[in-house]
Amino acid sequence: MRLNSIVAYLASGCLLASLCGCATSPGTRAQSGSDSMTGESVAEAAGTMAVVKQITPDLIAKEHSTREFATESAIGNLVGVPGPYDIGSGDVLSIIVWGHPDLTNVSLAGDAALNDGIEGRASASPSGFVVDHEGAIQFPYIGRLPLAGLNEEAARQLLTRHLQKYIKNPSITLRVQAYRSKRVYVDGEVKSPGLQSITDIPMTLMEALNRAGGLLPTADQSRIRLSRGGASYRINLPQMVERGVNPANILLAAGDVVKVVSRDDSKVFISGEVISPRALAMRDGRLTLNEALGESGGINPASGDASRVYVIRKVGTELVIYTLDAKLPGAFAVAQDFELNAKDTVYVAATPLTNWHRTISQVFPGALSSAVSAAGTRP
């Protein structure tokens, strides 16, 4: 078979069939169940079902509302009013009964040592009344006295009522000598990750970060994750400040885990027919599709198909593919409002002619250029 016949056969047969198979998105095949009203359809990508959505102003407005609702819900669940510290199991209490030194068990000199680095001094015996695992202390005359869940003033009043049966008008000073019952854990891009004890100073998000030495330059302030009771909340500090919400109003609870994500984990990947494929770091958690294409040099005019721009995103267990026809008027204005998420992949498909040329070049290396040269020298 002559060379020209082979080229014509591949171009008209199996090659075109393969190109038609990826007309919906790279590596996808359109399925039934598309909705022309919403611009959504279902496709199969590498054996995984994916939802395909067209990027339109309506879709952008819907996603923006979803983001706003999620942010407001998270902030609403985390903002609280600080209250007095409640005594818990493991705390060490300093109790002074004035005029009765035999009832006093306290060492003021050891307070700082007990509060700072208590984990590293487990062998030291704290002087004071230790609240046991059932939330009670043993006090002379009274015996077992439950105090867990009470603040210092309520605990003092309870102790006074019990002790006045044995002492007339007792004058009592009660305070927490060492805070050991409630802690939060700060991890990630902070100077000193680790446990932070909740004290009489309200443990807010900013207090916890400051105690951990502050954020490192590699920290992504827009992706601070707070885990509480099986739920996870994303905190965007720049966004909160922009909206006039004070991050110090976010009150932490015992058992909370705060993780500051690294900027390296907040990247968007640009591939396909762009001038300079790369991974782009998001700026304070924000990067639009237009900015991503611009920073990668734009769509390659020689090989890129501007009508097939895709954003591939994993949402939970679901794969979502957003499509944009950049040839349409106003398409880049729409792209400027479409916000990307961390780990998104932006892919620009090649033109059918580019795919055809590459396939021929792989099947017959140098055959296409030889055929063109032969045709050019034909008399």
Side-chain angles (χ1 to χ4, degrees), residues 184-203:
V184 299
Y185 186 76
V186 183
D187 191 18
E189 302 302 304
V190 292
K191 186 175 181 180
S192 302
L195 288 169
Q196 303 291 338
S197 296
I198 297 178
T199 67
D200 56 338
I201 299 175
M203 180 61 80

Side-chain angles (χ1 to χ4, degrees), residues 78-83 184 186 196-212 226 228 235 237 246-253 256 258:
L78 299 176
V79 170
V81 179
V184 299
V186 183
Q196 303 291 338
S197 296
I198 297 178
T199 67
D200 56 338
I201 299 175
M203 180 61 80
T204 65
L205 175 63
M206 302 310 297
E207 175 71 15
L209 293 177
N210 287 335
R211 288 193 194 179
L226 191 155
R228 173 184 299 172
I235 300 172
L237 289 183
N246 187 354
N249 292 334
I250 295 180
L251 195 64
L252 302 184
D256 283 356
V258 177

